Amino acid sequence: MTVKKKVKRPVRSNAKLISENEALIHELAEAKETLRAIQNGEVDALVVSGQNGEQIFTLKNADQPYRIFVENMHEGAASLSVDGTIFYSNRCFAELLGVPIEDLIGTSIFDFIKAEGVVEFSYLLSSENSHRRSSTFDFTTSKNQSIPFLISMSPSEIGGGNGVSMIATDMTQQIQIKEYEKQSKELAEAVRARDEFISIASHELKTPLTSLMILSQLQLKMIAKNDPKAFEEDRVKDLASKTVAQTERLNILVGDMLDITRLKSGQMSMKKSNTDLFKLCNSAIERLSAQFISSGCKPPLISGTKTMGYWDPMRIEQVINNLLINAMKYGNNSPIVVTISSTNEVARFSIMDHGNGISQIDQSRIFHRFERAISANEISGLGLGLYISQQIIESHNGKIWVNSENGNGSTFYFELPLGY
Amino acid sequence: MKKRILIIDDAKEIHESLNEALGFEGYEVSSAFHGLDALQTLARMDDKLLPDIILLDLMMPVMDGHKFLEEILVANNARYAHIPIVVMTAKADPVFNGTNRPIALLSKPMTIDRLFETVRCFIL
C-alpha cells in the first residue's frame, strides 16, 4: 500500500506571479540589450555585484578592436568544435544562413552543408594539418537557398578543447561572374565560327555562280553577234548540262546550310521506312561513278548482302554520299572499299581509303560543326558533311566514328540499330 | 599571234567557263589547278610561250594564291617579272603584303564584260 505524500507547494498569489514574470522579462530584455551593446562595442566595462562587493570587468582592452572587426565584417566567421558544433558565429554568418545567432549557437554546421560536401568538410575539420585549410562548399540556408561559401579554417583552442576558427566567404557573385565570363567566351567562339562559316559558304557559293554567270553571259554575247555556234545543238546541250550541274551544286550547298539551321532548331525530321542499306550503297556508288572516274579514282568496291532496317533512306543515303565523296577527296585516288555487315540488332557500314589518314587531334574535331581536318584553303566544301552525317546517324540512335592513323588511310564506320 | 592567258584555279567549273569565254574572245588559254602546278607549268614553258597575263585564284590546295605570288614575284623574279597577275577571288577583302601585290583584283562572281575589260587592260 502506498501512501501519497502531500507535497507542500509554496503558496503564491497570482499577483505575485505576475510581478515575478514581469521582473524576469525585464531582466531578459536587459540581458539581451547588454549582449547587443557588447557585440557592437558600445560597452566599455561591466560592473558585476557579487559577494565581495562590486567587481569591474573592463571590455576596453586590446581585444575590443578585433571583436568589433569580426562582428562587423562582411564575411561569415564562426568557431566550431571538431565535431562541427557551432560555438560562436558572427552576425554576418548567421544572417547569411538566415538563422538568429541565439538559435545558431549550439547547432551543428553539418545541418547547413549540402550532402556532397559533408565528407570533405569533416575531413578539413579533423585534419591534423595545422596550416590554413580551405575549400568551397555549398550551404543550404534556412530559407532553402543555396549559397556557395569559400571556407577557410585554422585550428584554434576553444574552451580548452580542440576546435577551428572558420571564415566563410559568400562566393555567389564571383561564381556568377565566372559563369558570365565563360558564357561570353562561348558566345564569342560561336560568333567566330559563324563568321568563318559565312565566309566559307559565300566562297563556295561564288564558284558555281561565277561559272553560271560567265557561261550564260557568253551565250547572250554569241547570240547578239549572231554567231552560228551559239545555236549548235551540241553546244546548247553542253551549256544546258553545265548549267544543271552548277545549279545542282548550288542546291546542295544551300541544302547543307538549311540542314544546319534545321539541326540547330531541332526541326530535321526523319521519314523512316523499310530500307535496304546494301541497295542504298550500290545506287549511291553508281550515281557517283562518273564523278569518281573524272577525279581519277576507281569507283569503290562493295561487299555485303541485303541488309534491311527501319531508317530514313534519303537521310542515310546523304550520309553514304558524304562518306563516299570524302573518300574520293581525301583518299589520294587509292582503292576504296565499302563493307556492309549486320548482326541481329545492328547494321554496320564501313568505308576504307588509303589516303593520308587523320591525326588523333583532328579525329576528335572533324565531327564538329564547320570543322575539317585540312584548312579551308586546301579543299573546297563547307566542312559540314560529317557534322550533318553524325546528326542523322544519332537521330537513328546509331553511332559514327573513324579509325585512322597518320599516313595509313582512314576507315569511317557507322552503325544503325535495325529499328524493328 | 594569239595572246596567252594562264588560269590558276582549283575549281574545274571555273576553268570550263573561263576557257570558253576567253577562247571566244580569241585568247589562248592554259590551265593550272594550284600554285605549284602553275609554277611547274611555267617552268616547262619556252620563254617565248610564257603567258601574257595570269588569272589567279587565292584559296587552293597544295599551294594557295598568296604563296604563288610570293614565289613568282620574289623567288623567280627575272623570268616572270613582266607578266601581269590578276587575282580572282570570292574573298570580300583579301589582304596582300607589300611586295606580293597583284596588278588587279576581280571579285567572283564577275561579269563577262568585267573579265574581258580587265584582261584587255593589262595585256601589253
Side-chain angles (χ1 to χ4, degrees):
Chain A
M1 187 179 149
T2 51
V3 179
K4 275 187 182 170
K5 239 185 183 177
K6 269 196 175 172
V7 180
K8 266 196 177 173
R9 287 203 180 119
V11 183
R12 278 190 279 190
S13 67
N14 262 359
K16 197 165 182 211
L17 277 173
I18 288 168
S19 87
E20 268 180 23
N21 251 1
E22 275 172 357
L24 282 171
I25 288 167
H26 180 71
E27 260 178 58
L28 182 64
E30 212 168 90
K32 271 191 173 168
E33 170 58 20
T34 310
L35 202 61
R36 188 200 61 76
I38 292 172
Q39 277 177 335
N40 286 349
E42 294 163 11
V43 177
D44 295 336
L46 290 175
V47 181
V48 180
S49 303
Q51 286 173 336
N52 306 325
E54 292 182 335
Q55 267 186 298
I56 297 175
F57 294 91
T58 170
L59 293 175
K60 227 189 174 89
N61 55 22
D63 287 345
Q64 200 208 18
Y66 299 123
R67 202 176 54 249
I68 296 171
F69 168 66
V70 174
E71 274 305 323
N72 292 344
M73 71 183 184
H74 295 289
E75 315 262 313
S79 300
L80 312 173
S81 69
V82 286
D83 69 358
T85 309
I86 302 169
F87 280 109
Y88 162 79
S89 159
N90 71 349
R91 205 170 14 194
C92 175
F93 191 50
E95 277 171 13
L96 282 167
L97 293 180
V99 181
I101 289 186
E102 53 271 28
D103 294 347
L104 190 59
I105 307 295
T107 58
S108 169
I109 191 88
F110 290 106
D111 294 349
F112 302 96
I113 296 170
K114 285 200 177 163
E116 62 270 20
V118 166
V119 172
E120 193 191 352
F121 198 93
S122 23
Y123 172 76
L124 283 192
L125 263 181
S126 58
S127 169
E128 297 291 318
N129 191 342
S130 61
H131 291 104
R132 219 172 110 105
R133 31 213 208 228
S134 65
S135 190
T136 310
F137 296 94
D138 285 334
F139 279 57
T140 307
T141 70
S142 67
K143 287 164 196 145
N144 226 0
Q145 282 173 324
S146 177
I147 301 182
F149 277 117
L150 174 67
I151 300 288
S152 300
M153 290 185 200
S154 43
S156 65
E157 281 186 11
I158 296 169
N162 284 337
V164 292
S165 303
M166 178 190 102
I167 300 287
T169 309
D170 181 357
M171 300 297 285
T172 311
Q173 257 189 339
Q174 278 93 324
I175 287 174
Q176 221 161 46
I177 289 169
K178 265 195 191 151
E179 190 55 37
Y180 289 147
E181 278 170 357
K182 198 178 136 214
Q183 274 177 11
S184 88
K185 233 183 179 176
E186 282 168 2
L187 284 173
E189 174 54 28
V191 169
R192 189 205 60 76
R194 192 205 55 193
D195 288 350
E196 195 189 327
F197 171 67
I198 291 174
S199 137
I200 292 172
S202 59
H203 180 265
E204 289 300 313
L205 291 172
K206 279 175 181 175
T207 299
L209 267 181
T210 303
S211 171
L212 276 174
M213 197 181 247
I214 296 284
L215 287 176
S216 51
Q217 288 175 345
L218 175 64
Q219 182 70 358
L220 278 181
K221 267 192 192 300
M222 290 169 98
I223 292 168
K225 267 196 170 179
N226 239 335
D227 186 335
K229 250 182 95 184
F231 308 99
E232 278 171 15
E233 194 185 332
D234 282 354
R235 214 202 107 77
V236 173
K237 255 190 201 165
D238 182 51
L239 186 67
S241 68
K242 278 176 183 160
T243 306
V244 168
Q246 294 313 314
T247 44
E248 266 173 7
R249 172 133 185 244
L250 280 170
N251 190 31
I252 289 172
L253 287 168
V254 173
D256 275 1
M257 291 164 78
L258 273 178
D259 278 352
I260 278 297
T261 322
R262 282 201 201 110
L263 285 169
K264 220 175 156 190
S265 54
Q267 285 171 357
M268 190 191 253
S269 59
M270 299 292 147
K271 295 183 193 79
K272 294 182 187 176
S273 61
N274 285 330
T275 304
D276 180 359
L277 187 60
F278 186 65
K279 198 172 150 194
L280 217 55
C281 253
N282 274 310
S283 61
I285 290 172
E286 206 180 296
R287 211 162 312 133
L288 285 173
S289 64
Q291 215 173 320
F292 269 103
I293 290 162
S294 78
S295 74
C297 196
K298 276 189 184 163
L301 295 167
I302 176 163
S303 74
T305 52
K306 184 174 176 179
T307 304
M308 296 302 294
Y310 192 64
W311 309 304
D312 181 333
M314 272 178 56
R315 290 297 181 189
I316 297 300
E317 193 178 334
Q318 190 179 347
V319 176
I320 295 170
N321 265 333
N322 192 274
L323 294 175
L324 285 169
I325 290 169
N326 277 353
M328 179 162 64
K329 272 196 210 164
Y330 301 98
N332 290 352
N333 295 347
S334 60
I336 298 165
V337 179
V338 173
T339 310
I340 310 280
S341 61
S342 66
T343 66
N344 286 337
E345 281 136 25
V346 294
R348 179 188 275 195
F349 168 99
S350 73
I351 179 166
M352 180 173 70
D353 69 53
H354 296 86
N356 293 337
I358 304 163
S359 72
Q360 284 292 330
I361 302 170
D362 287 335
Q363 285 180 36
S364 59
R365 275 181 36 223
I366 49 174
F367 290 101
H368 294 175
R369 208 170 351 157
F370 313 137
E371 294 284 7
R372 72 187 88 207
I374 297 174
S375 76
N377 280 353
E378 299 266 327
I379 294 258
S380 58
L382 293 180
L384 291 174
L386 285 176
Y387 173 74
I388 294 173
S389 298
Q390 185 186 41
Q391 300 300 313
I392 292 170
I393 296 298
E394 281 179 357
S395 58
H396 283 80
N397 297 318
K399 55 179 182 170
I400 183 168
W401 71 100
V402 60
N403 275 345
S404 181
E405 238 177 84
N406 245 342
N408 274 333
S410 312
T411 306
F412 280 85
Y413 299 87
F414 68 76
E415 231 172 51
L416 293 169
L418 299 184
Y420 291 116
Chain B
M1 202 170 86
K2 279 186 177 180
K3 293 284 183 186
R4 286 177 299 274
I5 300 176
L6 172 63
I7 297 172
I8 312 171
D9 198 307
D10 60 329
K12 203 177 66 192
E13 54 271 48
I14 296 290
H15 285 286
E16 281 175 2
S17 52
L18 293 193
N19 278 3
E20 206 165 324
L22 292 165
F24 170 77
E25 267 300 83
Y27 297 105
E28 193 180 306
V29 184
S30 53
S31 307
F33 287 84
H34 51 74
L36 190 62
D37 186 14
L39 286 178
Q40 288 164 348
T41 307
L42 287 168
R44 278 196 303 268
M45 282 179 180
D46 190 286
D47 280 357
K48 286 178 200 150
L49 296 176
L50 283 175
D52 296 290
I53 190 169
I54 293 175
L55 302 182
L56 172 71
D57 183 28
L58 285 182
M59 285 165 77
M60 290 181 294
V62 189
M63 183 192 285
D64 69 13
H66 289 285
K67 182 80 181 134
F68 174 81
L69 280 170
E70 212 173 279
E71 291 285 325
I72 200 164
L73 293 181
V74 181
N76 300 306
N77 205 345
R79 190 164 182 246
Y80 307 122
H82 65 284
I83 307 174
I85 299 176
V86 173
V87 160
M88 331 175 267
T89 179
K91 279 190 175 171
D93 31 25
V95 181
F96 301 96
N97 69 35
T99 51
N100 297 342
R101 293 192 163 280
I103 199 161
L105 272 181
L106 271 174
S107 292
K108 287 181 187 170
M110 62 277 202
T111 62
I112 198 166
D113 288 332
R114 176 101 175 81
L115 173 72
F116 290 166
E117 275 164 29
T118 309
V119 169
R120 264 200 300 273
C121 178
F122 292 106
I123 279 191
L124 300 169

